[in-house]
mmCIF file of all heavy atoms in Angstrom:
data_model
loop_
_atom_site.group_PDB
_atom_site.id
_atom_site.type_symbol
_atom_site.label_atom_id
_atom_site.label_comp_id
_atom_site.label_asym_id
_atom_site.label_seq_id
_atom_site.Cartn_x
_atom_site.Cartn_y
_atom_site.Cartn_z
ATOM 1 N N LEU C 1 0.837 -1.173 -0.001
ATOM 2 C CA LEU C 1 -0.008 -0.019 0.012
ATOM 3 C C LEU C 1 0.862 1.272 0.004
ATOM 4 O O LEU C 1 1.829 1.343 0.733
ATOM 5 C CB LEU C 1 -0.906 0.049 1.249
ATOM 6 C CG LEU C 1 -1.643 1.298 1.516
ATOM 7 C CD1 LEU C 1 -2.749 1.551 0.518
ATOM 8 C CD2 LEU C 1 -2.220 1.321 2.949
ATOM 9 N N VAL C 2 0.519 2.190 -0.809
ATOM 10 C CA VAL C 2 1.144 3.542 -0.788
ATOM 11 C C VAL C 2 0.145 4.508 -0.172
ATOM 12 O O VAL C 2 0.503 5.209 0.857
ATOM 13 C CB VAL C 2 1.517 4.039 -2.207
ATOM 14 C CG1 VAL C 2 2.065 5.412 -2.112
ATOM 15 C CG2 VAL C 2 2.501 3.058 -2.836
ATOM 16 N N ALA C 3 -1.043 4.613 -0.677
ATOM 17 C CA ALA C 3 -2.080 5.477 -0.163
ATOM 18 C C ALA C 3 -3.423 5.017 -0.642
ATOM 19 O O ALA C 3 -3.584 4.621 -1.804
ATOM 20 C CB ALA C 3 -1.788 6.920 -0.556
ATOM 21 N N VAL C 4 -4.476 5.157 0.199
ATOM 22 C CA VAL C 4 -5.794 4.841 -0.166
ATOM 23 C C VAL C 4 -6.719 5.887 0.402
ATOM 24 O O VAL C 4 -6.552 6.435 1.520
ATOM 25 C CB VAL C 4 -6.211 3.437 0.403
ATOM 26 C CG1 VAL C 4 -7.712 3.200 0.201
ATOM 27 C CG2 VAL C 4 -5.489 2.340 -0.247
ATOM 28 N N ILE C 5 -7.697 6.303 -0.402
ATOM 29 C CA ILE C 5 -8.683 7.266 0.037
ATOM 30 C C ILE C 5 -10.070 6.743 -0.112
ATOM 31 O O ILE C 5 -10.455 6.167 -1.157
ATOM 32 C CB ILE C 5 -8.510 8.605 -0.788
ATOM 33 C CG1 ILE C 5 -9.417 9.719 -0.223
ATOM 34 C CG2 ILE C 5 -8.680 8.339 -2.291
ATOM 35 C CD1 ILE C 5 -9.087 11.081 -0.798
ATOM 36 N N THR C 6 -10.878 6.927 0.885
ATOM 37 C CA THR C 6 -12.286 6.596 0.887
ATOM 38 C C THR C 6 -13.061 7.888 1.137
ATOM 39 O O THR C 6 -12.540 8.961 1.228
ATOM 40 C CB THR C 6 -12.619 5.554 1.973
ATOM 41 O OG1 THR C 6 -12.492 6.160 3.297
ATOM 42 C CG2 THR C 6 -11.722 4.343 1.919
ATOM 43 N N SER C 7 -14.369 7.739 1.267
ATOM 44 C CA SER C 7 -15.216 8.900 1.556
ATOM 45 C C SER C 7 -14.919 9.532 2.854
ATOM 46 O O SER C 7 -15.149 10.718 3.030
ATOM 47 C CB SER C 7 -16.713 8.556 1.467
ATOM 48 O OG SER C 7 -17.027 7.604 2.397
ATOM 49 N N GLY C 8 -14.354 8.789 3.749
ATOM 50 C CA GLY C 8 -14.131 9.255 5.142
ATOM 51 C C GLY C 8 -12.750 9.138 5.722
ATOM 52 O O GLY C 8 -12.521 9.539 6.880
ATOM 53 N N SER C 9 -11.767 8.604 4.910
ATOM 54 C CA SER C 9 -10.455 8.475 5.488
ATOM 55 C C SER C 9 -9.421 8.359 4.370
ATOM 56 O O SER C 9 -9.671 8.135 3.271
ATOM 57 C CB SER C 9 -10.384 7.207 6.314
ATOM 58 O OG SER C 9 -10.552 6.013 5.509
ATOM 59 N N ILE C 10 -8.134 8.640 4.842
ATOM 60 C CA ILE C 10 -6.982 8.570 4.022
ATOM 61 C C ILE C 10 -5.973 7.748 4.760
ATOM 62 O O ILE C 10 -5.740 8.003 5.944
ATOM 63 C CB ILE C 10 -6.449 9.860 3.577
ATOM 64 C CG1 ILE C 10 -7.409 10.683 2.715
ATOM 65 C CG2 ILE C 10 -5.068 9.715 2.812
ATOM 66 C CD1 ILE C 10 -7.027 12.091 2.376
ATOM 67 N N ASN C 11 -5.302 6.776 4.106
ATOM 68 C CA ASN C 11 -4.291 6.015 4.770
ATOM 69 C C ASN C 11 -3.037 6.000 3.865
ATOM 70 O O ASN C 11 -3.080 5.667 2.699
ATOM 71 C CB ASN C 11 -4.813 4.556 4.907
ATOM 72 C CG ASN C 11 -3.887 3.689 5.758
ATOM 73 O OD1 ASN C 11 -3.113 4.217 6.562
ATOM 74 N ND2 ASN C 11 -4.055 2.411 5.594
ATOM 75 N N TYR C 12 -1.897 6.295 4.492
ATOM 76 C CA TYR C 12 -0.620 6.291 3.844
ATOM 77 C C TYR C 12 0.306 5.299 4.470
ATOM 78 O O TYR C 12 0.263 5.053 5.661
ATOM 79 C CB TYR C 12 0.048 7.703 3.944
ATOM 80 C CG TYR C 12 -0.580 8.830 3.197
ATOM 81 C CD1 TYR C 12 -1.405 9.706 3.922
ATOM 82 C CD2 TYR C 12 -0.382 9.061 1.886
ATOM 83 C CE1 TYR C 12 -2.017 10.802 3.270
ATOM 84 C CE2 TYR C 12 -0.985 10.090 1.248
ATOM 85 C CZ TYR C 12 -1.799 10.960 1.906
ATOM 86 O OH TYR C 12 -2.381 12.032 1.237
ATOM 87 N N ALA C 13 1.183 4.775 3.635
ATOM 88 C CA ALA C 13 2.298 3.980 4.168
ATOM 89 C C ALA C 13 3.204 4.916 4.921
ATOM 90 O O ALA C 13 3.423 6.085 4.574
ATOM 91 C CB ALA C 13 3.082 3.304 3.041
ATOM 92 N N ASP C 14 3.800 4.373 5.994
ATOM 93 C CA ASP C 14 4.639 5.201 6.820
ATOM 94 C C ASP C 14 5.880 5.796 6.028
ATOM 95 O O ASP C 14 6.289 6.922 6.263
ATOM 96 C CB ASP C 14 5.263 4.367 8.036
ATOM 97 C CG ASP C 14 4.189 4.063 9.042
ATOM 98 O OD1 ASP C 14 3.192 4.798 9.087
ATOM 99 O OD2 ASP C 14 4.402 3.161 9.850
ATOM 100 N N SER C 15 6.344 5.043 5.036
ATOM 101 C CA SER C 15 7.471 5.453 4.256
ATOM 102 C C SER C 15 7.227 6.631 3.321
ATOM 103 O O SER C 15 8.153 7.274 2.907
ATOM 104 C CB SER C 15 7.965 4.253 3.405
ATOM 105 O OG SER C 15 6.917 3.839 2.493
ATOM 106 N N VAL C 16 5.968 6.970 3.139
ATOM 107 C CA VAL C 16 5.616 8.109 2.227
ATOM 108 C C VAL C 16 4.946 9.250 2.950
ATOM 109 O O VAL C 16 4.709 10.277 2.320
ATOM 110 C CB VAL C 16 4.775 7.663 1.034
ATOM 111 C CG1 VAL C 16 5.465 6.460 0.330
ATOM 112 C CG2 VAL C 16 3.406 7.294 1.428
ATOM 113 N N LYS C 17 4.625 9.059 4.161
ATOM 114 C CA LYS C 17 3.940 10.182 4.934
ATOM 115 C C LYS C 17 4.770 11.450 4.918
ATOM 116 O O LYS C 17 5.978 11.418 5.150
ATOM 117 C CB LYS C 17 3.628 9.729 6.324
ATOM 118 C CG LYS C 17 2.543 8.659 6.518
ATOM 119 C CD LYS C 17 2.299 8.344 7.975
ATOM 120 C CE LYS C 17 1.135 7.363 8.112
ATOM 121 N NZ LYS C 17 0.953 6.907 9.514
ATOM 122 N N GLY C 18 4.092 12.565 4.631
ATOM 123 C CA GLY C 18 4.716 13.855 4.573
ATOM 124 C C GLY C 18 5.349 14.162 3.224
ATOM 125 O O GLY C 18 5.687 15.283 2.990
ATOM 126 N N ARG C 19 5.410 13.164 2.342
ATOM 127 C CA ARG C 19 6.037 13.388 0.981
ATOM 128 C C ARG C 19 4.993 13.199 -0.109
ATOM 129 O O ARG C 19 5.058 13.885 -1.135
ATOM 130 C CB ARG C 19 7.153 12.421 0.758
ATOM 131 C CG ARG C 19 8.296 12.562 1.768
ATOM 132 C CD ARG C 19 9.487 11.731 1.390
ATOM 133 N NE ARG C 19 9.210 10.291 1.373
ATOM 134 C CZ ARG C 19 9.303 9.519 0.310
ATOM 135 N NH1 ARG C 19 9.657 10.024 -0.839
ATOM 136 N NH2 ARG C 19 9.021 8.228 0.396
ATOM 137 N N PHE C 20 4.029 12.254 0.086
ATOM 138 C CA PHE C 20 3.036 11.934 -0.923
ATOM 139 C C PHE C 20 1.686 12.462 -0.454
ATOM 140 O O PHE C 20 1.376 12.426 0.732
ATOM 141 C CB PHE C 20 2.938 10.458 -1.164
ATOM 142 C CG PHE C 20 4.099 9.795 -1.834
ATOM 143 C CD1 PHE C 20 5.362 10.465 -2.044
ATOM 144 C CD2 PHE C 20 4.060 8.527 -2.276
ATOM 145 C CE1 PHE C 20 6.404 9.931 -2.662
ATOM 146 C CE2 PHE C 20 5.151 7.888 -2.864
ATOM 147 C CZ PHE C 20 6.329 8.608 -3.040
ATOM 148 N N THR C 21 0.888 12.832 -1.414
ATOM 149 C CA THR C 21 -0.533 13.252 -1.144
ATOM 150 C C THR C 21 -1.427 12.626 -2.142
ATOM 151 O O THR C 21 -1.207 12.789 -3.327
ATOM 152 C CB THR C 21 -0.643 14.795 -1.221
ATOM 153 O OG1 THR C 21 0.299 15.400 -0.269
ATOM 154 C CG2 THR C 21 -2.071 15.176 -0.825
ATOM 155 N N ILE C 22 -2.531 11.941 -1.635
ATOM 156 C CA ILE C 22 -3.441 11.346 -2.491
ATOM 157 C C ILE C 22 -4.717 12.213 -2.488
ATOM 158 O O ILE C 22 -5.057 12.824 -1.509
ATOM 159 C CB ILE C 22 -3.821 9.901 -2.056
ATOM 160 C CG1 ILE C 22 -4.689 9.216 -3.096
ATOM 161 C CG2 ILE C 22 -4.522 9.956 -0.649
ATOM 162 C CD1 ILE C 22 -4.949 7.721 -2.768
ATOM 163 N N SER C 23 -5.366 12.338 -3.675
ATOM 164 C CA SER C 23 -6.548 13.086 -3.839
ATOM 165 C C SER C 23 -7.438 12.451 -4.892
ATOM 166 O O SER C 23 -6.944 11.651 -5.679
ATOM 167 C CB SER C 23 -6.225 14.557 -4.210
ATOM 168 O OG SER C 23 -5.571 14.613 -5.447
ATOM 169 N N ARG C 24 -8.732 12.742 -4.806
ATOM 170 C CA ARG C 24 -9.622 12.223 -5.784
ATOM 171 C C ARG C 24 -10.682 13.262 -6.208
ATOM 172 O O ARG C 24 -10.957 14.211 -5.493
ATOM 173 C CB ARG C 24 -10.344 10.923 -5.258
ATOM 174 C CG ARG C 24 -11.204 11.190 -4.084
ATOM 175 C CD ARG C 24 -11.985 9.973 -3.765
ATOM 176 N NE ARG C 24 -13.100 9.719 -4.737
ATOM 177 C CZ ARG C 24 -13.919 8.740 -4.828
ATOM 178 N NH1 ARG C 24 -13.761 7.748 -3.846
ATOM 179 N NH2 ARG C 24 -14.821 8.653 -5.697
ATOM 180 N N ASP C 25 -11.131 13.102 -7.433
ATOM 181 C CA ASP C 25 -12.184 13.955 -7.984
ATOM 182 C C ASP C 25 -13.365 13.009 -8.250
ATOM 183 O O ASP C 25 -13.362 12.231 -9.214
ATOM 184 C CB ASP C 25 -11.707 14.586 -9.269
ATOM 185 C CG ASP C 25 -12.678 15.583 -9.807
ATOM 186 O OD1 ASP C 25 -13.928 15.420 -9.655
ATOM 187 O OD2 ASP C 25 -12.246 16.618 -10.419
ATOM 188 N N ASN C 26 -14.399 13.136 -7.443
ATOM 189 C CA ASN C 26 -15.531 12.245 -7.577
ATOM 190 C C ASN C 26 -16.266 12.421 -8.856
ATOM 191 O O ASN C 26 -16.753 11.456 -9.443
ATOM 192 C CB ASN C 26 -16.471 12.433 -6.407
ATOM 193 C CG ASN C 26 -15.941 11.981 -5.062
ATOM 194 O OD1 ASN C 26 -15.073 11.063 -5.021
ATOM 195 N ND2 ASN C 26 -16.387 12.576 -3.960
ATOM 196 N N ALA C 27 -16.321 13.660 -9.346
ATOM 197 C CA ALA C 27 -17.086 13.910 -10.580
ATOM 198 C C ALA C 27 -16.410 13.314 -11.785
ATOM 199 O O ALA C 27 -17.032 12.890 -12.731
ATOM 200 C CB ALA C 27 -17.186 15.453 -10.779
ATOM 201 N N LYS C 28 -15.038 13.243 -11.761
ATOM 202 C CA LYS C 28 -14.331 12.674 -12.912
ATOM 203 C C LYS C 28 -13.854 11.208 -12.673
ATOM 204 O O LYS C 28 -13.324 10.613 -13.537
ATOM 205 C CB LYS C 28 -13.069 13.560 -13.143
ATOM 206 C CG LYS C 28 -13.358 14.929 -13.571
ATOM 207 C CD LYS C 28 -12.089 15.766 -13.809
ATOM 208 C CE LYS C 28 -12.376 17.154 -14.188
ATOM 209 N NZ LYS C 28 -11.133 17.944 -14.445
ATOM 210 N N ASN C 29 -14.164 10.700 -11.472
ATOM 211 C CA ASN C 29 -13.732 9.332 -11.114
ATOM 212 C C ASN C 29 -12.232 9.139 -11.326
ATOM 213 O O ASN C 29 -11.732 8.215 -11.963
ATOM 214 C CB ASN C 29 -14.442 8.284 -11.954
ATOM 215 C CG ASN C 29 -15.923 8.090 -11.473
ATOM 216 O OD1 ASN C 29 -16.266 8.424 -10.380
ATOM 217 N ND2 ASN C 29 -16.773 7.686 -12.409
ATOM 218 N N THR C 30 -11.509 10.126 -10.840
ATOM 219 C CA THR C 30 -10.009 10.016 -10.870
ATOM 220 C C THR C 30 -9.396 10.060 -9.484
ATOM 221 O O THR C 30 -10.018 10.640 -8.584
ATOM 222 C CB THR C 30 -9.433 11.195 -11.736
ATOM 223 O OG1 THR C 30 -9.816 12.440 -11.131
ATOM 224 C CG2 THR C 30 -9.963 11.135 -13.136
ATOM 225 N N VAL C 31 -8.217 9.538 -9.415
ATOM 226 C CA VAL C 31 -7.422 9.655 -8.219
ATOM 227 C C VAL C 31 -6.014 9.938 -8.580
ATOM 228 O O VAL C 31 -5.466 9.379 -9.552
ATOM 229 C CB VAL C 31 -7.512 8.349 -7.375
ATOM 230 C CG1 VAL C 31 -6.946 7.130 -8.135
ATOM 231 C CG2 VAL C 31 -6.733 8.515 -6.042
ATOM 232 N N ASP C 32 -5.439 10.910 -7.876
ATOM 233 C CA ASP C 32 -4.045 11.343 -8.171
ATOM 234 C C ASP C 32 -3.166 11.096 -6.969
ATOM 235 O O ASP C 32 -3.558 10.966 -5.822
ATOM 236 C CB ASP C 32 -4.027 12.863 -8.466
ATOM 237 C CG ASP C 32 -4.676 13.170 -9.785
ATOM 238 O OD1 ASP C 32 -5.106 12.294 -10.539
ATOM 239 O OD2 ASP C 32 -4.794 14.387 -10.023
ATOM 240 N N LEU C 33 -1.897 10.933 -7.237
ATOM 241 C CA LEU C 33 -0.894 10.813 -6.223
ATOM 242 C C LEU C 33 0.251 11.801 -6.499
ATOM 243 O O LEU C 33 1.008 11.600 -7.462
ATOM 244 C CB LEU C 33 -0.342 9.412 -6.135
ATOM 245 C CG LEU C 33 0.641 9.103 -4.981
ATOM 246 C CD1 LEU C 33 -0.068 9.199 -3.663
ATOM 247 C CD2 LEU C 33 1.298 7.731 -5.189
ATOM 248 N N GLN C 34 0.343 12.820 -5.724
ATOM 249 C CA GLN C 34 1.391 13.818 -5.880
ATOM 250 C C GLN C 34 2.598 13.254 -4.996
ATOM 251 O O GLN C 34 2.429 13.054 -3.815
ATOM 252 C CB GLN C 34 0.969 15.165 -5.348
ATOM 253 C CG GLN C 34 2.063 16.216 -5.349
ATOM 254 C CD GLN C 34 2.517 16.504 -6.749
ATOM 255 O OE1 GLN C 34 1.659 16.722 -7.671
ATOM 256 N NE2 GLN C 34 3.818 16.539 -7.032
ATOM 257 N N MET C 35 3.689 13.049 -5.646
ATOM 258 C CA MET C 35 4.858 12.540 -4.978
ATOM 259 C C MET C 35 5.973 13.547 -4.984
ATOM 260 O O MET C 35 6.485 13.921 -6.044
ATOM 261 C CB MET C 35 5.351 11.225 -5.658
ATOM 262 C CG MET C 35 4.229 10.145 -5.786
ATOM 263 S SD MET C 35 4.809 8.598 -6.497
ATOM 264 C CE MET C 35 5.285 9.131 -8.110
#
């Protein structure tokens, strides 16, 4: 696991916390990972 996002939570691997950011666009059904 790197990162997972649900409607109510976000979970990151310890190794990427503070460096990676996950986000999603519900209207477009997309998920991004900024590293």
Side-chain angles (χ1 to χ4, degrees):
L1 169 73
V2 178
V4 172
I5 184 168
T6 69
S7 61
S9 66
I10 297 175
N11 188 23
Y12 293 99
D14 289 341
S15 60
V16 308
K17 287 181 179 177
R19 300 188 297 119
F20 292 9
T21 302
I22 189 171
S23 61
R24 62 171 291 176
D25 186 328
N26 291 333
K28 297 180 179 179
N29 287 336
T30 59
V31 60
D32 291 355
L33 184 69
Q34 178 66 46
M35 305 185 294

